[in-house]
Amino acid sequence: MIEVKTIWLCAQLNFKKWIVTPRIYSLAIVVFSFSLWMFSWISDYAAAVNTSVSPWVFPYLMSVPVLFPIFGCLTTLLFCDAPFMDSHTPYLMIRMSKRDWAIGQLLYIVLAAFVYTAFFMVMSMLVLIPHVQFSSDWGAVLKTIAFNRNSLNKYGITPFVEIGAPVITLFSASSAMLISFGMFWLVSIFIGVLIFCFQVVIGRLSGLIAAGIFTFISYFSVYVGKMAYGRIIYYVSPLNWSSMFYLDWGGTGQLPSPVYAVSVLVIAILFMSVVSVIVFCRRDMNIQEGRS
């Protein structure tokens, strides 16, 4: 019988280790710096036109191709030490089953991916200070940038993300935020479980190689991949689905539909999770020291 309390304890312990893990602090600094680089120009434009900007810029985070390898590398860095064994693991195993411990690690991936996504979203808002003002609408600044891009030239401002007019036309600010958050979270879980599964089933570093391959495909698909294979390559590139710009919202069939993307991600996550738990329970433990 699965012990929910024990599984929750395993997930909690991994979060408590963040305090003494330099990698987490490094990741936080990189995400903040990255957000500052991507969105501070919007704050500069808001200052130039003397109008506050709404904070709903997160849907545009993955609007340019260079973001995919950065997103893939940062997410891989977050989960690179899966299945998260350290010198304390044998003592935990004495008190619980291997199955509960493995499920606890998978629960940790789901929750850590949520925190990771939320941190990205909060940072995208904070870097707009002091020219940000909460509003239920997209706001005049984002609409002006989206529909009149030449207005940036008047103030010599160079955009680093694409504030796409179709997103503003098709979705409300709250809908776009929820969709972007959900897809970013789901793809982050996929990368985490992918690393976990490969490193449990095959061995050390195999998960990093698998995540690296998908990261490469995400960037390759936008340029050479699209020219060589057409838009069908987007159907095998899950990292691209973290962006609303690479999903088919009009039912044209030229890009993966949101239903297809969510279905494939959920099925892949569940399948890899089940395989990981089964294999982990049948193998002897191989504790690797030096987690950082």
Side-chain angles (χ1 to χ4, degrees):
M1 182 177 178
I2 293 177
E3 294 287 343
V4 176
K5 187 176 180 180
T6 302
I7 292 171
W8 173 239
L9 173 65
C10 287
Q12 275 188 308
L13 288 175
N14 281 335
F15 278 110
K16 290 180 179 178
K17 291 172 184 174
W18 281 17
I19 299 174
V20 294
T21 305
R23 176 166 46 84
I24 298 300
Y25 294 103
S26 301
L27 190 59
I29 293 171
V30 171
V31 171
F32 172 74
S33 303
F34 178 68
S35 300
L36 190 64
W37 174 57
M38 297 303 298
F39 293 118
S40 61
W41 64 271
I42 298 178
S43 183
D44 294 339
Y45 178 76
V49 297
N50 195 28
T51 303
S52 297
V53 59
S54 62
W56 318 125
V57 296
F58 183 72
Y60 304 104
L61 177 65
M62 306 296 290
S63 61
V64 290
V66 71
L67 273 297
F68 293 119
I70 294 173
F71 167 56
C73 291
L74 292 179
T75 312
T76 300
L77 179 63
L78 176 62
F79 297 118
C80 65
D81 57 342
F84 317 114
M85 289 182 172
D86 60 18
S87 58
H88 298 99
T89 303
Y91 302 102
L92 287 172
M93 291 291 182
I94 295 173
R95 303 177 59 183
M96 64 185 68
S97 69
K98 294 176 71 174
R99 181 192 57 192
D100 289 349
W101 186 88
I103 295 175
Q105 308 313 303
L106 292 168
L107 175 62
Y108 161 73
I109 290 175
V110 174
L111 298 177
F114 181 88
V115 174
Y116 173 69
T117 305
F119 188 74
F120 255 107
M121 186 183 70
V122 171
M123 288 300 104
S124 71
M125 297 176 178
L126 287 181
V127 296
L128 299 177
I129 293 176
H131 304 291
V132 64
Q133 184 176 48
F134 279 89
S135 165
S136 60
D137 190 22
W138 286 106
V141 169
L142 294 181
K143 286 181 178 177
T144 301
I145 296 173
F147 293 101
N148 184 18
R149 195 180 181 84
N150 291 331
S151 61
L152 296 173
N153 299 332
K154 180 179 178 181
Y155 302 98
I157 294 175
T158 302
F160 292 102
V161 293
E162 178 70 26
I163 306 297
V167 173
I168 291 180
T169 303
L170 294 173
F171 302 96
S172 66
S174 58
S175 297
M177 288 291 289
L178 286 173
I179 293 171
S180 298
F181 188 97
M183 294 309 299
F184 194 100
W185 181 26
L186 202 53
V187 174
S188 299
I189 295 172
F190 170 80
I191 297 173
V193 175
L194 177 77
I195 295 172
F196 184 92
C197 180
F198 270 73
Q199 299 198 158
V200 166
V201 175
I202 299 177
R204 191 178 182 184
L205 299 182
S206 61
L208 303 185
I209 294 172
I213 290 173
F214 276 107
T215 299
F216 169 77
I217 291 175
S218 67
Y219 192 69
F220 171 79
S221 64
V222 178
Y223 296 110
V224 180
K226 188 173 68 175
M227 289 188 289
Y229 304 104
R231 291 176 180 266
I232 195 171
I233 196 170
Y234 291 129
Y235 284 84
V236 295
S237 183
L239 268 69
N240 293 82
W241 307 340
S242 60
S243 170
M244 295 177 66
F245 289 73
Y246 290 85
L247 294 175
D248 185 5
W249 300 101
T252 64
Q254 295 183 349
L255 291 171
S257 69
V259 173
Y260 171 85
V262 172
S263 300
V264 171
L265 286 170
V266 170
I267 292 172
I269 290 168
L270 291 176
F271 176 75
M272 291 189 294
S273 298
V274 171
V275 171
S276 301
V277 173
I278 293 174
V279 172
F280 184 80
C281 291
R282 292 181 177 177
R283 284 187 174 177
D284 294 332
M285 292 176 56
N286 180 21
I287 307 299
Q288 298 170 353
E289 299 286 352
R291 180 183 180 183
S292 61

